[in-house]
Amino acid sequence: MRLAGAIPAEHVDSALRTLVDRHPALRAGDDRPPVRAHEEDARTEEEALERAEAHAGAGWDLTAGPLLRGCRVRIGGDATLLTLAAPRSVCDESSMTVLWSEFRTLCAGGTLPEAPAADPRRAPRTVGTPEQQHAYWRSRLDADLPLPRFGIESPERAGGPGGRGAVAFTVPAEVRDAVEELARRSATAADSVLLAAFLTTLHRYVREEQTLVGVPVESRAAPSGTNAGPDAVGNFVNTAPLLVPVERGLRFGELLELAHTTLEEARRRADLPLAEVLAGRGGPGAPALRVQFVPPGPAPQRTAGRVPHGGAGARELPLRVTSAAAGVSFRLAHAEGAWTGVLEYDTAEAGASAARGWAESFTVLLAHAAACPETRVEALRMLPADRLDRTVAAINSGFETYPGLRPVHRAFEEVARSRPDLVAVESGTRSIRYGELDRRAGLLAHRLVAQGLGPERTAGVLVERSVDLIVALLAIWKTGAAMVPLDPRMPDRRMAFIAGDARLTTIVTQERFRTRLAGQRLPLTTVPTEGGADTPAVPGVRTENTAYIYYTSGSTGQPKGVVLDHRTAAVRLEWLGRRYRLGAGDRVVHKTPLIFDVAVWEILGPLSAGATLLLADPEAESDVAHLSKLLATENTVFTHFVPSMLDAYLRHAPAAEYPSLRWVQLSGEVVPARLLERFAGHFSAECHNLYGQTETSEVAAWEGRAVAGDGSVPLGRQIGIYRLFVLDEALRPVPPGVTGELCVAGVGGLARGYLGRPGTTAERFVPHPYPVTPGERLYRTGDLASFDEDGLLTYRGRADEQTKIRGCRVETGEVEAVLSQGGADCAVVTRPDEEGAAELVAYVVGDRSTVEALAAHAEEHLPGYMLPSVYVALDALPLGPSGKLDRRSLPAPTAADRAARRTVSEPPLTALEQRIAELWQSVLRIDRPGRDDNFFTMGGNSLKSLQILNRINAAFHIKFTVRDFFAGPTISQMAATVERLLREMTAAMSEDDAAGLLAELKGTQAR
């Protein structure tokens, strides 16, 4: 307590002696050694606090009294700081409140009443036998819990010097009054309101439904010989481990009821020591109890004759003295009409600034919750008004402007006119120059215009990666029309849906696909292989016109088309041009399939700058050996990877030098820190991790070659015209460290919306609550993220069931909807496979025949990356207490589940087939595959196919390509391909050498 004036030392010493005489718990045995206050001088209040805290925080000898310390610090010549401390082992929080109240009264010259009679509040209130209490705690704690976090941990501090730190804070009197009023209205208790607010704050920071929290609860009568009344002093508590679920959509009043019930139940079953309660829970790997919440308990009774010393100039201050051994301790105490608090933490995990932010968030949230308990916990305020205003102002002032943007093909046309002899595209041994490429695109554009193509019309594109593909895209944009990408690996039904939904005028294609497209009943336009013409005169091609429509996974069972205009596309081109400064002679690898929007930037980025586009072979985007050669090509300066593909590349790529490679760009998935470490060991190039959506562009970037900790690479900071907000459900900014929904703003940088889906568009593109121009929109990504104190953005997951599979966006709801059309109840979730990569697992109610029918139905409607890797047959889907699907209770697939879709197939017949079968067993984790089983039906995917390819090529010294793999994905077909490649390889050998090699590899006897 800071007093406005001085207080005689004898008053303080007398008060200390009275307290020790009055409370046996403060004496070690019958001895009563003299007790005197420690004296200090300080110049400032902060210096006085530090000196008092050092005195209070010194070690205690519990065998020698007195077990009470007072300190009197003179501040300058006109103020005094008084402090009181006792060891926690003999004095709990409620007892400390009593001591402090009595100490103040005594220091002011007041008197204390006689010790009152026994009070029922000190009587035992527990129920049940020890065995029954054990059973209760086992049932309450029988849950798989995440590793405990508090939300203030920083990877940068990991491994640093250990120690304990603490920050102090105050809950104002008006907030305390509102809390106590809510407790009265809800028939709960102030401690329960505070616990609910603490759990909500914790949930908002760590985004876990349940975290184990220790709460001290009164557990037994006062020891013999002590004051048994309400002003008794001692340690009357045990720590109870509480689990209170904080589910999405819960209102604060509902959580308060849960917290109050849980706390009261714990108080009635608190006879068992904490160690005994936790013994055996979940085995040795179970998370420890590292979060403690200490409520203030009942307010102390006023003592007779108490006269506050110092009048209006007296202020109570909490001591920032650490007491917990590890983890986080959040303690509240009564203080002259308000509550004071101390948040204690491990300095090797967190810093004071983050801890102060957490305490401030708690106080702001508590005030809002007490005033508006009907508010959902995800919508409670956590930033005070002044900080909210500063946060918005900083975001809204930190962006670029791009005047003079043009349709996306204009920069290419300028290069073609000014430097027509520059090489535009290289594909294998072929190349084409800018001037010729422009004229070929002009010829095709004339044909498209003749078919009725123009602004706000659409053309599908089904062309393999080649010069023809570049011609097709440029020609469509020259007409002012929008491009809609298609892919030969799409099921016919999906392609037909997109063609109808986008109202395609024509499909631009190659001769090889005309038969495949005959069933679409649309005009087909073939890319000309020779000839040229000037660009047709198409009036009115503007940045407001649609440039392309990309179809992404949709939760309704059908994909949804994202409509983007030339302005939005040009925004990204402008940022790319400013950041990478490509020029003539630079090569950029284009390997991403067109159905993913990264392909557009791989193509237009270099072509807008006069650089050269280096094409990967068709369907060879996952051929590691082929990509390695492209990256090692002279003047190849830039490439893009999806992180999962980079992981596969680093696993299988041969040792190589990349003499010109300067930038490797990643996007589409979270980048694990360990992947970045491997990247740095293989490449000398810069790593750029970009974050964005089809609905916007790349909106954040991180650059570097290492990160602290073992988590993931940050998303980075906002870039270009974009402004990034992390918001709660009410679209209010949240504090650093708090998880919220990542929302994107950028004037001219958002998609127009979803084609033909005004409702979905309105849900995702909402009026901006903090606009920089009137009528501005805000895109709600559905991604969860948090800013750190330096403004660095980190990905925290999804607010819905959307996921990424090998970098491809998948709504599990769409997969579930398609499967449900097959006539069975099902659920689809994302799980890590044996190597940690995400895979889709479908749970189907029915037998194996039901599974086969649904799997066949899915293959007719979904692209390969959206097909479940494994199907699990169940008698019923698990449901939670509310009757909703309990996804956490879905069992992990077994080896039998993975092998269940095996065809009735004979075993491998030759030594070569057996060797390939062994590779399948190793990669797919299945037993005894048949020679005619399909690799992809058995749970394989494009990344797992790379492992097979790499091992086959290494074993037989051949070039088994990705195209070979997809053309023959059974063991017998692979063996035949290996044999063919071996024969081609040995054609130059002598007959004896060749025969000997083949006999050794193939075997001469059937099994």
Side-chain angles (χ1 to χ4, degrees):
M1 178 173 61
R2 187 186 192 279
L3 302 175
I7 181 173
E10 56 269 22
H11 286 199
V12 179
D13 293 342
S14 174
L16 292 174
R17 288 194 297 272
T18 299
L19 292 178
V20 172
D21 290 340
R22 180 178 175 84
H23 299 291
L26 302 179
R27 304 192 295 269
D30 295 328
D31 294 334
R32 301 192 185 190
V35 53
R36 297 189 63 180
H38 179 69
E39 301 282 341
E40 289 269 11
D41 290 297
R43 290 169 295 181
T44 65
E45 180 179 293
E46 180 61 28
E47 182 184 349
L49 269 173
E50 291 175 356
R51 292 174 182 268
E53 286 164 351
H55 175 255
W60 294 89
D61 181 359
L62 300 181
T63 65
L67 302 179
L68 184 69
R69 287 180 186 155
C71 183
R72 187 173 72 103
V73 185
R74 293 175 292 273
I75 307 173
D78 58 356
T80 305
L81 184 74
L82 286 182
T83 66
L84 191 69
R88 192 166 300 278
S89 58
V90 299
C91 186
D92 58 30
E93 293 291 334
S94 295
S95 298
M96 197 67 217
T97 299
V98 171
L99 284 177
W100 182 244
S101 176
E102 294 178 347
F103 180 60
R104 287 196 59 178
T105 298
L106 292 169
C107 287
T111 59
L112 301 180
E114 294 296 324
D119 189 283
R121 292 188 299 173
R122 283 291 190 236
R125 299 184 298 166
T126 55
V127 298
T129 65
E131 292 74 18
Q132 290 172 326
Q133 291 193 23
H134 271 297
Y136 168 82
W137 288 113
R138 280 195 300 270
S139 67
R140 294 291 301 177
L141 303 179
D142 184 20
D144 292 329
L145 299 176
L147 293 174
R149 294 190 302 117
F150 196 68
I152 60 175
E153 298 85 356
S154 171
E156 287 77 11
R157 303 182 72 91
R164 303 290 291 165
V167 296
F169 62 97
T170 300
V171 178
E174 63 272 17
V175 178
R176 174 173 172 168
D177 292 343
V179 167
E180 292 175 339
E181 174 59 27
L182 173 59
R184 284 190 291 270
R185 292 200 317 267
S186 60
T188 57
D191 282 2
S192 300
V193 178
L194 293 167
L195 174 60
F198 175 83
L199 293 171
T200 301
T201 308
L202 183 60
H203 167 73
R204 294 283 295 277
Y205 267 88
V206 304
R207 205 74 182 186
E208 297 289 354
E209 285 192 1
Q210 293 191 108
T211 299
L212 196 63
V213 176
V215 178
V217 296
E218 192 172 299
S219 62
R220 55 191 179 274
S224 175
T226 66
N227 178 359
D231 291 340
V233 168
N235 190 333
F236 304 104
V237 301
N238 268 339
T239 297
L242 302 188
L243 278 179
V244 183
V246 186
E247 297 179 351
R248 188 179 177 187
L250 201 64
R251 299 184 185 278
F252 184 80
E254 297 168 334
L255 178 60
L256 169 58
E257 185 177 344
L258 284 172
H260 181 70
T261 300
T262 304
L263 186 57
E264 289 304 305
E265 287 182 355
R267 281 174 169 156
R268 295 176 65 81
R269 296 168 177 83
D271 287 338
L272 303 177
L274 178 64
E276 194 172 329
V277 170
L278 296 180
R281 180 185 61 87
L289 196 159
R290 290 178 52 83
V291 177
Q292 185 179 51
F293 173 75
V294 183
Q301 292 184 351
R302 300 295 181 181
T303 55
R306 178 178 176 184
V307 180
H309 190 95
R315 287 189 293 114
E316 292 189 348
L317 303 168
L319 287 182
R320 299 162 296 190
V321 176
T322 61
S323 58
V328 170
S329 174
F330 191 88
R331 307 193 304 272
L332 292 164
H334 296 281
E336 202 60 37
W339 285 307
T340 59
V342 173
L343 195 166
E344 181 184 340
Y345 57 91
D346 285 328
T347 56
E349 296 179 351
S353 178
R356 278 192 292 270
W358 206 105
E360 180 184 66
S361 297
F362 167 82
T363 304
V364 174
L365 184 146
L366 175 65
H368 190 192
C372 305
E374 71 283 357
T375 305
R376 287 157 56 110
V377 296
E378 303 290 350
L380 289 168
R381 283 193 296 268
M382 299 186 74
L383 274 178
D386 58 338
R387 281 194 64 195
L388 187 150
D389 291 342
R390 291 198 302 271
T391 299
V392 170
I395 295 172
N396 277 346
S397 63
F399 64 95
E400 299 175 353
T401 57
Y402 296 156
L405 296 174
R406 301 173 295 171
V408 293
H409 59 292
R410 295 297 194 217
F412 161 77
E413 291 177 335
E414 284 188 356
V415 177
R417 285 194 300 269
S418 62
R419 306 187 69 179
D421 292 333
L422 288 178
V423 176
V425 183
E426 293 177 337
S427 179
T429 58
R430 299 176 56 203
S431 66
I432 188 170
R433 300 181 185 276
Y434 272 82
E436 181 185 355
L437 178 61
D438 188 45
R439 288 185 57 77
R440 276 187 62 188
L443 177 61
L444 177 57
H446 277 282
R447 297 179 182 178
L448 294 173
V449 169
Q451 293 215 28
L453 211 59
E456 299 308 313
R457 306 294 292 273
T458 56
V461 178
L462 183 62
V463 179
E464 69 180 5
R465 188 166 41 245
S466 61
V467 172
D468 287 355
L469 173 62
I470 314 305
V471 170
L473 297 178
L474 292 171
I476 292 170
W477 287 322
K478 283 174 179 287
T479 72
M483 176 272 294
V484 181
L486 303 172
D487 190 272
R489 288 165 285 196
M490 278 184 181
D492 288 342
R493 291 175 184 264
R494 192 176 187 86
M495 194 178 296
F497 172 82
I498 292 174
D501 190 65
R503 298 183 180 180
L504 298 183
T505 299
T506 184
I507 297 178
V508 181
T509 188
Q510 296 165 302
E511 285 293 335
R512 64 189 298 257
F513 295 123
R514 292 186 73 91
T515 301
R516 164 79 188 277
L517 292 171
Q520 298 297 330
R521 298 182 180 180
L522 280 170
L524 304 180
T525 306
T526 304
V527 179
T529 57
E530 57 185 17
D534 292 335
T535 298
V538 179
V541 180
R542 304 186 305 273
T543 55
E544 292 78 15
N545 291 133
T546 304
Y548 44 80
I549 302 173
Y550 263 87
Y551 277 80
T552 66
S553 182
S555 59
T556 63
Q558 298 288 4
K560 58 182 183 289
V562 183
V563 182
L564 295 108
D565 60 25
H566 279 269
R567 180 181 176 85
T568 303
V571 161
R572 183 169 183 184
L573 278 179
E574 182 69 16
W575 183 84
L576 286 170
R578 294 185 182 203
R579 175 60 188 86
Y580 296 108
R581 304 291 181 183
L582 299 173
D586 290 333
R587 289 186 170 98
V588 173
V589 174
H590 167 45
K591 63 183 181 62
T592 303
L594 186 63
I595 57 170
F596 306 114
D597 63 346
V598 169
V600 173
W601 316 119
E602 285 182 343
I603 294 168
L604 287 175
L607 292 184
S608 297
T612 299
L613 200 58
L614 185 59
L615 303 188
D617 291 344
E619 300 181 15
E621 57 268 10
S622 57
D623 188 325
V624 171
H626 176 58
L627 295 182
S628 179
K629 291 181 179 179
L630 295 180
L631 297 181
T633 301
E634 186 179 4
N635 294 328
T636 296
V637 298
F638 181 98
T639 192
H640 174 277
F641 279 100
V642 171
S644 53
M645 181 59 209
L646 175 63
D647 178 70
Y649 182 87
L650 294 176
R651 289 178 187 273
H652 305 301
E657 295 291 331
Y658 310 102
S660 306
L661 192 63
R662 296 177 60 189
W663 305 290
V664 175
Q665 193 182 89
L666 307 179
S667 68
E669 292 174 321
V670 173
V671 181
R674 62 182 182 278
L675 178 60
L676 185 63
E677 291 178 8
R678 291 167 51 216
F679 168 90
H682 187 88
F683 292 105
S684 60
E686 297 176 18
C687 179
H688 293 185
N689 184 37
L690 269 67
Y691 166 80
Q693 306 80 25
T694 303
E695 290 85 347
T696 59
S697 174
E698 257 54 49
V699 299
W702 176 92
E703 301 178 7
R705 291 174 55 84
V707 292
D710 56 0
S712 61
V713 175
L715 300 181
R717 305 179 191 277
Q718 63 188 39
I719 58 174
I721 70 165
Y722 291 101
R723 291 131 53 217
L724 305 184
F725 298 82
V726 178
L727 306 178
D728 62 20
E729 281 189 355
L731 298 185
R732 283 187 297 259
V734 298
V738 173
T739 298
E741 183 179 8
L742 182 53
C743 299
V744 179
V747 177
L750 305 186
R752 189 178 298 172
Y754 301 108
L755 185 64
R757 298 191 181 193
T760 305
T761 299
E763 289 175 6
R764 287 297 186 185
F765 296 87
V766 301
H768 201 317
Y770 315 103
V772 295
T773 61
E776 188 182 4
R777 296 181 304 156
L778 181 76
Y779 173 61
R780 302 186 65 170
T781 68
D783 286 334
L784 300 177
S786 65
F787 283 114
D788 68 10
E789 293 181 286
D790 295 324
L792 202 62
L793 194 63
T794 298
Y795 181 77
R796 298 296 185 193
R798 285 289 300 179
D800 53 23
E801 300 303 323
Q802 189 187 108
T803 188
K804 289 289 187 77
I805 301 295
R806 300 184 293 283
C808 305
R809 186 159 133 185
V810 176
E811 295 270 7
T812 56
E814 180 179 357
V815 183
E816 287 179 352
V818 168
L819 292 177
S820 296
Q821 293 165 8
D825 291 337
C826 64
V828 177
V829 300
T830 306
R831 285 184 176 274
D833 65 12
E834 295 83 355
E835 296 181 350
E839 67 174 358
L840 291 176
V841 179
Y843 296 86
V844 177
V845 177
D847 55 18
R848 295 315 305 184
S849 64
T850 307
V851 166
E852 290 303 321
L854 263 62
H857 178 76
E859 289 166 7
E860 293 179 357
H861 291 81
L862 298 173
Y865 66 87
M866 293 182 69
L867 294 175
S869 297
V870 59
Y871 290 80
V872 179
L874 299 174
D875 294 331
L877 296 175
L879 303 178
S882 64
K884 297 180 180 179
L885 173 66
D886 183 1
R887 294 181 182 271
R888 292 190 175 188
S889 296
L890 291 166
T894 64
D897 293 322
R898 295 186 180 279
R901 296 198 62 209
R902 179 182 300 158
T903 59
V904 180
S905 173
E906 59 185 343
L909 299 179
T910 67
L912 182 56
E913 288 184 1
Q914 179 58 39
R915 192 162 184 183
I916 293 173
E918 290 169 357
L919 295 180
W920 279 36
Q921 289 176 272
S922 174
V923 171
L924 298 180
R925 304 292 199 273
I926 58 174
D927 296 327
R928 298 184 298 278
R931 66 190 303 267
D932 294 320
D933 287 334
N934 187 295
F935 179 82
F936 298 101
T937 301
M938 301 295 289
N941 57 48
S942 59
L943 295 183
K944 291 182 178 180
S945 72
L946 285 183
Q947 299 182 49
I948 299 290
L949 284 178
N950 184 69
R951 297 181 191 188
I952 287 177
N953 289 333
F956 299 104
H957 305 287
I958 57 177
K959 188 178 180 182
F960 197 122
T961 67
V962 172
R963 181 167 284 188
D964 291 330
F965 196 104
F966 280 85
T970 68
I971 289 173
S972 60
Q973 290 169 323
M974 289 183 185
T977 301
V978 170
E979 183 176 342
R980 173 178 61 79
L981 294 172
L982 284 170
R983 289 188 183 280
E984 293 172 359
M985 183 182 70
T986 57
M989 296 181 180
S990 67
E991 290 188 5
D992 289 344
D993 289 343
L997 177 61
L998 287 176
E1000 177 184 349
L1001 295 174
K1002 178 181 175 184
T1004 55
Q1005 259 188 328
R1007 297 190 175 197

